[in-house]
Amino acid sequence: MKKNILFIILFASFSAVISSCKKKDSTGLLIPDDAAMVVHFNAASLSSKLSWDNIKATNWFQKFQNENHDSLAQQFLADPASNGIDLKSDLVYFLKMRSTGAYIVVNGKLKNDSAFAAHCKKLIPDGTQSRDGSFSFITKDDNSAVIWNKERFAFVANTPNMMWNRRYDNESPAQDQKTVTADSLKNYGEKIINLSNTQTLGTDSRFASLINQPGDIHAWIDIGKIYSSTNMTGQMMSMMKVSSLFEGNIYAMTLNFDNGKISLNGKNYQGEEMSKIWKKYPPKRMDETLINRLPANDVMVAFVNNFKPEAIKDIFKTIGVDGLINLFLGKSNLSLDDIINANKGQMLFALTGIDTKNAAKISGKLNTEEDKEPMNNIPRNNLVKFIFANAINNKGDFDRLLDLLKGKEGMFENDLKDYTFRVKDDWFAAGDSANVAAFFSGHSNTVPYADRISGHPFGAYIDFQKIISHLAGKNTDSSRAAALTTSKNMWQDMVMTGGDFTDGALNFSLDVNLVNKNINSLKQLNSYLDQMAATYKNHLDIKRSMNNSLKIKTNPVE
């Protein structure tokens, strides 16, 4: 008997230890561990960068406020805190997939539950109100519900026709709606507010790491959960293993509105099958020497990519499409192995300009007595100045691939007549003749953006200033000119890098740089949108004035 008691005590102690070792959430966010998509707003950080007074000072806000005569809306616009929500605490939006739809949930903390209750009752006057213990509810049909207690609130909406999976089954949104009632929405909202710290997404160390990153907004997108809840992969691609692409595929991203730039940093976590491939064929980093073969001046857009082609072959095999690809290529006496062997995986691209020229042939009647329309039907050809270069691994296999492309050249004869294609040493290059000649000249440029996109398997650069200047040079509209001037004073360039595989994820980053480096980008974005809204309003006023003038001319007063 004593042995049995001792065994029970030991078992209970062991169970308590195991229970205490269970992963706990340190984020404090009420998000279920099966959420497919999450957006977390760091309200304290965002409000420190852009106050409500900054928003209220804009012309578009004042116009909206003056045109809105609803007393509840006026109160909210004047003071958002009057609705009882704690605007200094975290606000969370998440998506919970169902087999034929999804729950959309927004939750956060309350500063004044009585004010929140009063606001909801005014906002949804025809809603059904109820109470259960410490929880209050307002439901609107079977579509949405608001749930709250003294500390927290949750808004739950049903989206029965959100996903595309009904294209592949016989269930209608109306049938799905029957399975979601007002009570089920209330129960789900109450469940969210009552989540323990062992039932939340924060128990996933990857999500916890994301939230712990300093940022204004965090986003989590679980591609696997989104696709597994639909019938797209289950029925449409049942003969393949396309699900291998999606299983465990998660994007974790952090957005910051820093001084002079908008920054996005993220990880793309890979599932088991894809991780094996990236570990076997890790992407190779691009060095500045190679990037310096690109043009140094007049570059609007540039990107470089350095990967192992064998990885692409393994991905095709994993998802089960290699047979179909070989069947298609076999018609041209090629195989997937030929394509893979032909290329090293190094690619470079740069766009240096777009020239518009009138075509030699003019169609239509032009300004005759019978046709008083302006000469706006002159065909124009755009000469895109660019360079695309691809490193060759096996020249024999590449020549066979090139022969296949040359066989199709007649289909694009008019489009390709201004461009040059050339193979030299271990490179293939295509583009306008000047850029191709410069690439093969052997001269190394000092590319100003090279150090910003090198050191990673992938890099991209966009010069907004050059793009906007090009558009401004072709523009004749005054309103558009004002918008372009505002944009040129705002946007500088964009740099994106990525492709490094570490800790089971492909890493990436994106910086959108602004002209003004001294003010945080959220405040600048608010001001920019206000100026663009004013420009658009001015454009509409001019257009309306012109239309009124035309009406007077066509309907003269007798």
Side-chain angles (χ1 to χ4, degrees), residues 298-421:
D298 302 322
V299 173
M300 296 180 178
V301 178
F303 77 79
V304 295
N305 198 18
N306 195 3
F307 65 96
K308 293 185 178 179
E310 297 87 351
I312 305 300
K313 178 183 175 180
D314 273 25
I315 290 174
F316 287 154
K317 281 186 175 181
T318 300
I319 64 177
V321 299
D322 54 317
L324 288 175
I325 293 174
N326 277 319
L327 183 64
F328 173 76
L329 293 173
K331 297 177 181 178
S332 303
N333 295 319
L334 288 171
S335 68
L336 181 57
D337 285 335
D338 295 331
I339 304 298
I340 299 301
N341 292 334
N343 300 283
K344 284 185 179 179
Q346 295 176 333
M347 295 181 181
L348 302 94
F349 172 84
L351 173 67
T352 59
I354 302 174
D355 285 346
T356 302
K357 58 182 181 180
N358 293 342
K361 182 178 179 181
I362 299 177
S363 61
K365 293 179 290 185
L366 301 179
N367 208 25
T368 63
E369 288 299 322
E370 295 80 16
D371 184 8
K372 298 295 184 180
E373 293 297 318
M375 297 172 61
N376 58 0
N377 56 347
I378 302 176
R380 294 180 179 274
N381 291 335
N382 288 326
L383 174 62
V384 180
K385 295 181 178 181
F386 73 94
I387 178 69
F388 169 77
N390 179 69
I392 301 170
N393 180 54
N394 185 301
K395 195 170 184 304
D397 287 332
F398 192 85
D399 286 342
R400 293 171 61 201
L401 177 61
L402 199 57
D403 288 339
L404 173 63
L405 297 176
K406 287 179 179 178
K408 306 292 184 181
E409 189 174 348
M411 298 171 58
F412 310 100
E413 184 176 356
N414 290 330
D415 297 322
L416 301 178
K417 62 184 179 181
D418 293 317
Y419 301 106
T420 297
F421 305 88

Side-chain angles (χ1 to χ4, degrees), residues 24 54 69 103 110 112 135 191 206 212 270 331 350 366 396 445 477 509 540 555-556:
K24 293 184 178 180
N54 295 140
H69 303 294
Y103 287 129
L110 292 177
N112 186 326
F135 284 91
K191 175 186 174 182
R206 298 170 299 179
N212 288 331
Q270 302 291 299
K331 297 177 181 178
L366 301 179
N445 299 311
D477 180 81
S509 66
L540 293 180
N555 300 289

Side-chain angles (χ1 to χ4, degrees), residues 25 27-41 90-96 103 105-108 152-154 188-189 191-204 207-208 210-211 218-221 225:
D25 182 2
T27 67
L29 302 178
L30 298 181
I31 306 166
D33 54 13
D34 58 354
M37 184 184 301
V38 178
V39 181
H40 163 248
F41 299 92
D90 296 328
L91 192 66
V92 170
Y93 157 95
F94 71 82
L95 193 69
K96 162 68 171 72
Y103 287 129
V105 180
V106 177
N107 72 59
R152 293 182 177 271
F153 77 94
Y188 188 71
K191 175 186 174 182
I192 294 303
I193 295 178
N194 280 329
L195 281 173
S196 73
N197 62 1
T198 60
Q199 299 173 310
T200 56
L201 189 58
T203 58
D204 187 323
F207 181 77
L210 169 69
I211 297 301
H218 299 97
W220 172 273
I221 305 173
K225 284 189 172 67

Side-chain angles (χ1 to χ4, degrees), residues 17 27 47-48 62 140 196 202 236-237 265 308 330 337 421 429 494 497-498 515 553:
V17 170
T27 67
S47 60
S48 71
Q62 293 174 13
K140 177 71 172 176
S196 73
M236 187 180 181
M237 303 180 182
N265 294 287
K308 293 185 178 179
D337 285 335
F421 305 88
M494 187 199 82
T497 60
V515 174
K553 290 180 180 179

Side-chain angles (χ1 to χ4, degrees), residues 6 75 96 117 147 204 206 266 277 289 317 342 349 364-365 367 434 450 465 471 485 530:
L6 181 61
Q75 181 184 1
K96 162 68 171 72
I147 305 96
D204 187 323
R206 298 170 299 179
I277 295 173
T289 304
K317 281 186 175 181
F349 172 84
K365 293 179 290 185
N367 208 25
Q465 290 287 301
L471 295 174
T485 299
D530 185 39

